[in-house]
Structure formats: structure tokens, C-alpha cells
Amino acid sequence: MLKSFATQAYDGAFNLFERPMLVLQKLFGQSRIAWVFLLPNLLIFGLFTFLPIILNFVFATTGGDRILLGDRPFVGTEHFASLLDCESYFDPNSCHRDLFWRAVGNTGWFVLMQVGFMVLFSLITALILNRDIVLRGFFRAVFFYPVLLSPVVVALIWKWILQRNGVLNAGLEGTGFGTVNWLLEADWAFFWVVFVSIWCNMGFYVLILLAGLQSIPSDVYEAAEMDGTPRWRQLLRITLPLLMPTMLVVMVLSVIRAVQAFDEIYVLTGGGPGSATTLLIQYIYDVGFSTRPRLYGLAAAASLLMAGVLFVLTMMQLAATRKQSGDN
């Protein structure tokens, strides 16, 4: 009886929506009915994605500290010229917007260090977790767990550990060593920013690489074992070449994510000491929202320059993927 009631309820719900759908199908035609279902998503996507992009271009070409477009005079490419005004791009002190180029330099070093070490550690971890080890499922969950945490939570945990009276300095004092101002010395602060970023993001890339490793056919390794191929040679001649498409995806995703790093760094160091850990996203935030006068146009121009770099990186990834597919 319960099954009969459920069937009747299902038929009633189906009939309720059938007539409006038939009307829409007659109005728009069968070939256009799909747009009726896509329209709500397209409206939301346009409102919260395309419209902000358009507004960003408008703000980048207008001046002043007013937020209403009618109160902002047109200045053309003045903001871009101001950001790119340098005698030497390798010397931020020679630039009109020296803090912008310090943020660019910090971002470059951060991407180089964070992506390089994270991809290396992720690959090593994935290779270990792909083997038949004790508690393999447990360790996979442990490495992925930091990804589930909020970046703010991660930063607060590590700030509690690294502050002057934190857990790490307490441990050093207990073993007879002196304390270190981990977050107040420029070199140490940058090191810990990179370390914390790797710690909280590595599990995601380990998961991707692990999926890539498991997609490699086992019979390839069996044939190599029958030929007496040593493990290190299997790694170099079988695993890494077959894993290269996945590695390429991991590289591009990690670079884009590193360029956009903000949350955990802002909470952990606030960009300090000085501007030692100020990255590009924080510079955009500070210029546009944190400091006065609020230079919305300058922040918008900086964000568009960053978007251009990310676009180039994405095109490089697509080109490399197509080339690799063509070679295969």
C-alpha cells in the first residue's frame, strides 16, 4: 500500500509539471527548451561573474576615491601607466608604485618556492600512499584532512604555534634553545608562509596524483618486473612519463592557486614584517579597501594585470596539453 501511495504521489507531481513544460515547449520549440532550464543559472552567473568583470574594467579606467560610477572621472590607462612606471623592474625602489612591485616580487618567489616544493612533496607522498603499506587508508585521510579546514582556521592554528609565546618557542625553551620571533623576522616569516601554505594545500594535489598513479595499467609494471627492470628505472621510464599529463594539471592548478594566495597569509602575518610577506592579492585588497584614500581604480588595474598573467598561464597549460595529446 505504501508503494502504491508513493507511485501515485510521483505521478501527481509529474503531471503537475508536465502541462507548464508542454506550454513552454510550444512557445519556444523543442530545440530551444534547454535554454529555459539554463536561464536561471546564466542570470546568476552573469550577475555575479560577468558583471563584476565589466565593472572592474570600468573602475580601472576611472579615477578618484568615489565608488559611484557617475562620480568617477575617466582617466584611461593612467592607473596601468602608474603601476608600470619603473626605471628597472628588478629594483622596486625605482618604481613609482614600489609596494606593488615588492608584492609582485614576493608573489614570484612565493609561487616558485611553494609550487616547487609542494609538487615535489605531493609526488613523493602519492608514490608512498600508492603502495601497499600498513594503514594506507588512514594516512590518505590524514594528508587530505588539512584541505577540509578553513584557511583562516589553519592560519590561526599556526599563529598560535609560531607566536613569541607559542608552542614552538615553548618547546625550544624546554630543550635549552633560545626563542625566535618566527613571524617578526622577514626571512623566517616568509619561510613559514610558504610552509603553512604547502601544509594546508598539499593533500588536494596528493589526491590528484594518486588518482593518476592508479590509472596507470598494472600490466606495464608486471612486464617491467619480468624483464628485471629495477624500481628506480620503472619510476623514471614508466611512472613519470605516464603521470606527466596529471603532473601538468597539478602544476597549473597549483600556480594559479599560489598567485591567488591571500587568506592564510593575511591572518598569519598581515603581510609583515614590513612588506616581507605582502603578496599581490593583499596589495589589491589594501589599496582598494584597507587604506585611505581607497584607490579603487588602482586596485582594479592591478587585478586586471594579475588576471592577464593567469590567462597566459592557462593558455600555456592548454597549449601544452594539446601538444602532448598530439604527440600521443
Side-chain angles (χ1 to χ4, degrees):
M1 183 176 179
L2 182 61
K3 184 177 181 181
S4 175
F5 176 77
T7 304
Q8 291 177 1
Y10 174 80
D11 291 340
F14 183 81
N15 293 329
L16 181 65
F17 289 101
E18 182 181 15
R19 291 187 180 182
M21 290 299 105
L22 290 174
V23 173
L24 290 173
Q25 189 172 346
K26 289 179 181 180
L27 288 174
F28 296 100
Q30 189 172 359
S31 60
R32 297 191 185 97
I33 192 66
W35 291 103
V36 176
F37 296 99
L38 290 174
L39 185 60
N41 286 331
L42 289 175
L43 289 174
I44 294 173
F45 194 74
L47 181 62
F48 294 103
T49 301
F50 288 121
L51 181 60
I53 292 174
I54 295 171
L55 289 175
N56 208 31
F57 277 98
V58 174
F59 272 90
T61 54
T62 55
D65 59 352
R66 302 293 183 87
I67 195 168
L68 296 179
L69 298 181
D71 299 332
R72 299 180 59 80
F74 180 77
V75 296
T77 59
E78 181 180 314
H79 295 307
F80 296 97
S82 176
L83 290 172
L84 299 175
D85 182 14
C86 277
E87 294 181 9
S88 173
Y89 292 115
F90 297 100
D91 181 15
N93 293 323
S94 68
C95 300
H96 180 62
R97 299 289 180 180
D98 59 317
L99 188 56
F100 170 75
W101 286 101
R102 292 184 194 280
V104 169
N106 289 341
T107 303
W109 278 111
F110 177 80
V111 170
L112 184 66
M113 301 292 289
Q114 194 249 24
V115 173
F117 284 111
M118 184 164 62
V119 172
L120 176 62
F121 294 149
S122 298
L123 177 61
I124 294 172
T125 305
L127 288 170
I128 294 172
L129 295 179
N130 193 46
R131 303 187 67 179
D132 189 15
I133 60 175
V134 179
L135 299 176
R136 181 172 62 176
F138 169 76
F139 286 115
R140 287 179 179 178
V142 166
F143 277 100
F144 188 74
Y145 179 73
V147 180
L148 303 177
L149 298 176
S150 164
V152 174
V153 173
V154 169
L156 289 174
I157 291 172
W158 281 99
K159 192 171 185 177
W160 173 66
I161 294 173
L162 297 171
Q163 61 188 352
R164 182 163 186 169
N165 297 323
V167 176
L168 183 56
N169 275 333
L172 290 175
E173 280 187 320
T175 54
F177 294 96
T179 60
V180 180
N181 293 323
W182 302 110
L183 301 179
L184 297 179
E185 296 182 13
D187 292 338
W188 276 118
F190 195 84
F191 166 81
W192 284 111
V193 160
V194 173
F195 178 87
V196 171
S197 181
I198 292 174
W199 182 83
C200 67
N201 293 309
M202 191 180 79
F204 175 71
Y205 303 105
V206 169
L207 190 66
I208 296 176
L209 291 172
L210 194 57
L213 288 170
Q214 292 178 350
S215 67
I216 299 175
S218 59
D219 55 356
V220 179
Y221 293 106
E222 292 173 1
E225 290 285 349
M226 292 177 63
D227 291 338
T229 307
R231 289 293 179 87
W232 65 269
R233 196 173 184 85
Q234 291 180 28
L235 175 65
L236 296 178
R237 296 303 180 95
I238 298 175
T239 305
L240 293 182
L242 293 178
L243 194 63
M244 199 53 65
T246 308
M247 286 283 291
L248 184 60
V249 172
V250 167
M251 286 287 293
V252 173
L253 289 177
S254 58
V255 167
I256 293 174
R257 192 164 187 170
V259 171
Q260 297 175 326
F262 172 71
D263 308 56
E264 61 268 19
I265 299 173
Y266 185 75
V267 175
L268 186 63
T269 66
S275 60
T277 59
T278 300
L279 303 190
L280 197 49
I281 293 291
Q282 184 175 339
Y283 173 82
I284 295 170
Y285 170 78
D286 288 341
V287 169
F289 302 101
S290 182
T291 59
R292 290 186 179 275
R294 294 177 177 175
L295 305 177
Y296 301 115
L298 193 67
S303 68
L304 288 176
L305 290 175
M306 186 191 71
V309 173
L310 293 179
F311 178 78
V312 170
L313 292 173
T314 303
M315 290 300 103
M316 290 172 59
Q317 186 261 342
L318 292 175
T321 303
R322 289 196 189 100
K323 183 180 178 181
Q324 195 165 46
S325 300
D327 293 341
N328 294 335

